[in-house]
């Protein structure tokens, strides 16, 4: 399925730092696939509410989920506008001037109206996508949701039609007159998220092997 | 200065997972000090907009900044409600059931009306706080902002009165009947953000030593 490139609307068009805007859909997919937590924004009683939540992507659908009682999910399921942001931090940029200090990052913003997934098959599919994003391999390994658990979980689907991606890479962009004259160190301190050594639950027999899908992730 | 504990209003009172809510102000400070990027939510034309931005904390004031032209900053400076979220991800929680998969995290939500800092001395102070949060040691090392740069930067101050903190730690919380019967591995895969090897700007003489404030951070 071919989808159009990004930024068809005013609010999803990047106004500042246009040179950092990416317009191909694969850039959006890459950022969403690289993050682990998204920030979901909704308007509640006229005020913004921003909360972190898990997500997963299948094609051009973003799935979100949470307890059926969660305030942000309830608001988002009401057919109102939502905004989802996924940001991956890649580095701290040290410039010769304080003013040009910056960050390297990849950031995706998605606008739209989320729909509450009510069909059980699609709900299971959404949960599978969400689970495999958070913990790849767990869907075929852990116990799958039963009827009661399925009922207690709200799954939202958000179409990726209206989205924008902004990426900053590379070293500091200093003022010409500061280069060679200001003695401050300039460069990038890379930042990345890493997985540590798996910590087994104490309720399982000691020496239970860590399965491949967890072990591989720990690196 | 003694400030009251958290959660004085309805919207900043945690409704779900009350057992994960922290009510002491030091927990709020800890989360804000541990994060590097915040997510700023504002309402623009009735829709939520969530964008990542840098921040810094001084006491019970959160400073945000950005270009004077940035849409989210402009909206936030308009005396409207904003919501700032800082989330630090600490681990992926593998449970025996897909349903109980979770994340370990520390998350702070701040509600309020940001004020545009107009006094030059306070603006400089805010920028110092912001810079020292992003790049500790840079304020005394890099060239400080000049008059033109100061004018091109918007600094917002947000009071930390109305805030909530939610923290999840520890292993999976599985259903009793799954323990010992479901063969899935259960435990936590720790997640943390690390700094890599500094990458010097190619415009400075080769062999320029990496200063202590950068070197120490890389570990």
């Amino acid at each position: 399925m071919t989808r159009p490139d990004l930024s068809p609307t005013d609010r999803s068009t990047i106004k500042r730092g246009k040179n950092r805007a990416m317009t191909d859909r694969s850039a959006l997919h890459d950022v969403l696939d690289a993050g682990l937590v998204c920030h979901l924004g909704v308007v509640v009683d006229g005020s913004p509410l921003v909360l972190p939540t898990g997500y997963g992507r299948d094609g051009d659908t973003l799935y979100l989920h949470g307890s059926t009682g969660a305030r942000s999910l309830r608001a988002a399921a009401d057919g109102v506008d939502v905004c989802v942001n996924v940001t991956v931090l890649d580095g701290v940029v040290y410039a010769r001037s304080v003013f040009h200090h910056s960050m390297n990052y990849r950031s995706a913003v998605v606008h739209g109206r989320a729909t509450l997934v009510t069909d059980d098959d699609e709900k299971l599919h959404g949960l599978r996508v969400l689970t495999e994003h958070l913990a790849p391999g767990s869907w075929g390994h852990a116990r799958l949701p039963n009827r009661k658990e399925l009922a207690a979980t709200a799954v939202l689907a958000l179409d990726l039609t209206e989205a924008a991606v902004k990426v900053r890479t590379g070293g500091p962009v200093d003022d010409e007159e500061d280069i060679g004259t200001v003695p401050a160190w300039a460069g990038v301190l890379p930042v990345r998220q890493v997985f540590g050594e798996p910590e087994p639950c104490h309720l399982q027999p000691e020496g239970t092997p860590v399965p491949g899908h967890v072990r591989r992730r720990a690196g």
Side-chain angles (χ1 to χ4, degrees), chain A residues 9-18 166:
Chain A
T9 72
D10 182 65
R11 69 179 171 185
S12 70
T13 300
I14 288 168
K15 308 286 196 303
R16 304 287 313 168
K18 284 197 181 76
K166 209 167 163 181

Side-chain angles (χ1 to χ4, degrees), chain A residues 10-178:
Chain A
D10 182 65
R11 69 179 171 185
S12 70
T13 300
I14 288 168
K15 308 286 196 303
R16 304 287 313 168
K18 284 197 181 76
N19 56 326
R20 293 180 187 150
M22 318 279 287
T23 53
D24 51 326
R25 196 153 277 281
S26 66
L28 172 67
H29 295 173
D30 288 349
V31 174
L32 295 176
D33 295 351
L36 266 177
V37 174
C38 75
H39 281 79
L40 169 66
V42 289
V43 180
V44 177
D45 298 333
S47 295
L49 176 65
V50 180
L51 290 176
T53 185
Y55 70 93
R57 180 186 72 85
D58 179 30
D60 280 300
T61 302
L62 196 76
Y63 289 103
L64 306 167
H65 80 320
S67 157
T68 50
R71 187 168 40 158
S72 52
L73 265 286
R74 273 208 321 270
D78 256 358
V80 298
D81 285 337
V82 304
C83 181
V84 171
N85 185 291
V86 173
T87 299
V88 181
L89 184 61
D90 292 321
V92 177
V93 181
Y94 290 77
R96 289 155 182 91
S97 63
V98 159
F99 183 74
H100 284 297
H101 272 56
S102 188
M103 293 187 223
N104 282 339
Y105 62 89
R106 290 163 282 162
S107 177
V109 184
V110 183
H111 297 274
R113 292 194 173 181
T115 55
L116 190 64
V117 176
T118 51
D119 177 78
D120 271 359
D121 286 343
E122 200 198 334
K123 207 164 164 178
L124 263 179
H125 174 71
L127 288 176
R128 180 186 187 134
V129 169
L130 280 151
T131 302
E132 288 294 299
H133 183 80
L134 174 68
S138 274
W139 193 262
H141 180 80
R143 177 176 65 69
L144 296 184
N146 58 33
R147 202 156 275 283
K148 197 179 124 210
E149 290 169 343
L150 208 55
T153 310
V155 176
L156 300 182
L158 178 63
D159 197 87
L160 295 179
T161 302
E162 200 182 338
V165 177
K166 209 167 163 181
V167 175
R168 192 202 188 279
T169 58
V173 180
D174 270 301
D175 291 337
E176 198 100 24
E177 58 263 38
D178 287 340

Side-chain angles (χ1 to χ4, degrees), chain A residues 198-218:
Chain A
E199 298 166 355
C201 170
H202 65 100
L203 294 173
Q204 66 199 343
E206 226 175 301
T208 300
V210 178
H213 66 281
V214 180
R215 165 62 56 206
R216 274 192 298 277
R217 210 174 188 193

